[in-house]
């Protein structure tokens, strides 16, 4: 069997975000895979834009990447106790693409935030936003990196408990991909 195809979605646009670093850790823990990093720099969802011009090319690219993926890893910070606008916008656009592209796709969620909860509220909101799109959400273990600036101080996640949870979540994702 060839290496699984993973698609990563980062809810932060910042190049050096803690969530990009967390995605890199997850990919390393997953093992051999063909990895694509999704570009979530999409136009703001606008029903008028969709009616006049259809689904934007960037959204069509994202939809195709989702269709091609065997599994998806989403990592996002928490902004003001909620899901980031970037991630919510991407999910809103994807919901408008014909064919339910996320339906039955194995999806693992993670978060890293500077707060004490590690992005817990945003992660629950993200789960709620994904439910209508019907992916196969991995139910655990939860990966919520609190005090992210401290945990990624060296540039890499070194807290053994967090690393073990990421590894366990990636193993659960692998298992779900194999079941597909």
């Amino acid at each position: 069997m060839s290496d699984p195809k993973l698609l990563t979605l980062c809810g932060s646009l910042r190049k050096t975000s803690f969530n990009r670093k967390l995605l890199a850790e997850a990919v390393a823990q997953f093992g051999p895979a063909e990895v694509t990093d999704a570009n979530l720099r999409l136009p703001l969802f606008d029903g008028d834009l969709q009616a006049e011009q259809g689904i934007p090319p960037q959204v069509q690219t994202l939809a195709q990447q989702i269709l091609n993926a065997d599994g998806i890893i989403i990592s996002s910070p928490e902004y003001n106790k909620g899901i980031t606008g970037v991630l919510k916008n991407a999910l809103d656009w994807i919901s408008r693409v014909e064919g339910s592209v996320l339906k039955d796709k194995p999806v693992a969620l993670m978060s890293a935030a500077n707060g004490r909860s590690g992005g817990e509220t945003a992660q629950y909101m993200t789960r709620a936003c994904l439910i209508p799109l019907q992916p196969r959400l991995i139910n655990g273990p939860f990966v919520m990196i609190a005090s992210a600036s401290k945990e990624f101080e060296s540039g890499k996640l070194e807290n053994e408990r967090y690393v073990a949870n990421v590894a366990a979540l990636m193993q659960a994702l692998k298992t779900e991909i194999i079941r597909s």
Side-chain angles (χ1 to χ4, degrees):
M1 183 174 136
S2 62
D3 290 341
K5 294 177 182 163
L6 293 180
L7 179 65
T8 64
L9 281 75
C10 186
S12 171
L13 296 178
R14 195 166 54 92
K15 289 177 190 170
T16 61
S17 79
F18 302 124
N19 285 277
R20 286 196 194 287
K21 292 174 184 177
L22 182 54
L23 284 167
E25 178 68 30
V27 166
Q29 292 287 342
F30 187 89
E34 187 180 314
V35 181
T36 301
D37 298 319
N39 179 4
L40 298 189
R41 290 183 187 277
L42 307 172
L44 288 175
F45 175 74
D46 178 347
D48 290 337
L49 174 68
Q50 181 186 0
E52 293 166 12
Q53 300 174 18
I55 303 292
Q58 308 96 304
V59 176
Q60 291 174 3
T61 297
L62 177 59
Q64 191 59 54
Q65 290 171 331
I66 291 169
L67 283 171
N68 293 341
D70 296 313
I72 299 167
I73 308 169
I74 299 173
S75 188
S76 185
E78 180 172 285
Y79 289 171
N80 300 310
K81 299 306 264 177
I83 187 173
T84 67
V86 168
L87 183 55
K88 179 68 167 89
N89 186 55
L91 296 175
D92 288 342
W93 270 119
I94 288 303
S95 74
R96 298 304 181 113
V97 173
E98 211 167 303
S100 302
V101 297
L102 268 169
K103 186 177 172 104
D104 294 324
K105 288 288 179 179
V107 174
L109 291 179
M110 306 181 303
S111 55
N114 264 326
R116 291 178 295 178
S117 72
E120 179 179 35
T121 304
Q123 197 171 128
Y124 284 119
M125 286 179 73
T126 302
R127 286 178 186 276
C129 291
L130 283 166
I131 288 171
L133 305 177
Q134 301 178 341
R136 289 193 339 252
L137 285 169
I138 308 301
N139 287 320
F142 287 109
V143 174
M144 299 173 189
I145 311 299
S147 303
S149 58
K150 177 182 167 229
E151 296 299 338
F152 286 98
E153 205 165 39
S154 72
K156 188 174 185 288
L157 187 61
E158 294 184 20
N159 180 309
E160 290 178 21
R161 184 177 56 109
Y162 285 143
V163 171
N165 278 346
V166 171
L169 181 62
M170 291 304 98
Q171 185 56 52
L173 179 60
K174 258 190 215 182
T175 299
E176 202 57 37
I177 288 171
I178 291 167
R179 287 179 20 148
S180 297

